Amino acid sequence: MKSAYNEIMGHLQVTSEMRRRALDRVAREDLSLRAGAAGIPALKKHLSAAACLVLLLAGAALLPRVLDRREAEPPPVLAVPNIVEAASLRELSSLVGFEVEEEFSLPFAPEETVYRSYWNEVAQVEYSGGGQSAVFRQSLGTGDNSGDYSAYPDTVEITAGDVPVSLRGSGGSYVLAVWTDGTCAYSLSLPLGASEEEWRGILEFNGGAHGGA
């Protein structure tokens, strides 16, 4: 409501005709009987009241138009991601249009696995079990697809198979690995973190970091 008030006041203009009518109203008051020194404060008081009346009347006339205009404005459109859950790795590969390579060794035994496609472009696999979790992503291209834009203080580059991998974390514990084979981008996040050597074991499984390629 404060912004509406400010908008009204920004459009408000007291014309000479409005001022004349206000002063005529004051003149019609019985102020002439109170001429002299004692009458000056009363006259100022009535003049102030008349000016306020002009502002209120003009504001009341503008308010409906301001509110109508605001109600006519369409609500903002929010982009809703196209997320489709798949029943298997094969179905997920079909949704995104490329073979999803789930070739690494997690540091825990997954009890539940969820497959999701984002915009039919990014394949995401979520693992959970024993109080631990992991999220794997694969997409065409070479850019970072992790969606994690945190500024980690520690970054180290390792080689898994023949592929450079960027590990990100802090205090010797790395929670995110990002890599590419030149065709697809990959990322694997472990919220509880793992050491550099543990990551080497995770990504060296079955032929290297890019799923046995």
Side-chain angles (χ1 to χ4, degrees):
M1 185 58 68
K2 183 177 179 180
S3 59
Y5 170 80
N6 290 336
E7 186 171 353
I8 291 170
M9 296 307 292
H11 290 85
L12 186 60
Q13 294 183 353
V14 180
T15 65
S16 59
E17 177 63 18
M18 295 167 65
R19 187 181 299 108
R20 186 187 63 79
R21 291 181 182 179
L23 292 176
D24 286 346
R25 180 180 177 86
V26 173
R28 285 195 298 268
E29 298 289 341
D30 191 18
L31 297 178
S32 58
L33 299 177
R34 311 184 66 177
I40 293 176
L43 178 59
K44 290 183 178 180
K45 180 179 179 181
H46 282 274
L47 286 172
S48 298
C52 290
L53 178 60
V54 170
L55 292 174
L56 288 174
L57 290 175
L62 283 174
L63 183 58
R65 282 180 286 173
V66 172
L67 295 179
D68 288 344
R69 188 175 66 198
R70 290 179 174 233
E71 291 176 358
E73 293 177 355
V77 178
L78 300 178
V80 179
N82 178 21
I83 305 174
V84 178
E85 189 167 324
S88 64
L89 191 65
R90 177 177 295 180
E91 183 179 339
L92 179 60
S93 298
S94 178
L95 287 172
V96 295
F98 53 83
E99 184 179 356
V100 182
E101 301 171 329
E102 194 184 27
E103 297 289 339
F104 41 81
S105 178
L106 293 174
F108 62 92
E111 299 171 0
E112 182 180 3
T113 304
V114 178
Y115 304 98
R116 289 194 173 95
S117 162
Y118 285 78
W119 304 282
N120 295 328
E121 296 177 355
V122 179
Q124 177 170 298
V125 186
E126 304 166 17
Y127 314 87
S128 59
Q132 300 186 63
S133 63
V135 177
F136 169 67
R137 280 187 169 188
Q138 180 181 342
S139 59
L140 293 176
T142 59
D144 184 347
N145 66 4
S146 67
D148 186 346
Y149 304 105
S150 302
Y152 293 105
D154 295 344
T155 300
V156 64
E157 302 294 326
I158 65 171
T159 300
D162 58 350
V163 176
V165 179
S166 176
L167 300 180
R168 303 169 188 174
S170 61
S173 179
Y174 302 95
V175 297
L176 179 65
V178 178
W179 69 97
T180 178
D181 61 6
T183 301
C184 286
Y186 305 83
S187 63
L188 180 63
S189 63
L190 299 172
L192 295 184
S195 67
E196 181 178 335
E197 287 305 311
E198 288 172 330
W199 274 107
R200 290 181 186 275
I202 292 170
L203 299 177
E204 287 285 1
F205 178 73
N206 195 22
H210 49 84

